């Protein structure tokens, strides 16, 4: 849920920046967006492997499935 909340916060922040700076110079918008997206991109690259591991350990056949296969063969 934290991963999804950070992603939706990025969308809301981007929409607000676009609304505020649409009539201003475009270089200000690009500069502020690049600086703001840097921590978000870092967070996502650090948390994505954890999210993938969490989903695979929850829904994949993990170590218990391997033991059942060994017991039946």
């Amino acid at each position: 849920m934290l991963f999804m909340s950070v992603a939706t916060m990025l969308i809301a922040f981007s929409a607000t920046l676009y609304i505020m700076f649409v009539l201003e110079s475009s270089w200000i918008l690009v500069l502020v967006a690049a600086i703001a997206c840097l921590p978000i991109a870092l967070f996502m690259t650090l948390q994505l492997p954890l999210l993938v591991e969490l989903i695979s350990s929850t829904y994949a056949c993990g170590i218990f499935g391997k033991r059942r296969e060994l017991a039946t063969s």
Side-chain angles (χ1 to χ4, degrees), residues 7-22 29 33 37:
T8 55
M9 186 174 53
L10 176 63
I11 293 169
F13 182 73
S14 300
T16 305
L17 278 178
Y18 180 74
I19 290 170
M20 289 184 65
F21 291 115
V22 71
L29 179 61
C37 289

Side-chain angles (χ1 to χ4, degrees), residues 59-72:
Y59 296 111
C61 162
I63 59 171
F64 299 113
K66 291 178 184 174
R67 287 187 183 173
R68 274 191 250 146
E69 290 172 4
L70 292 173
T72 59

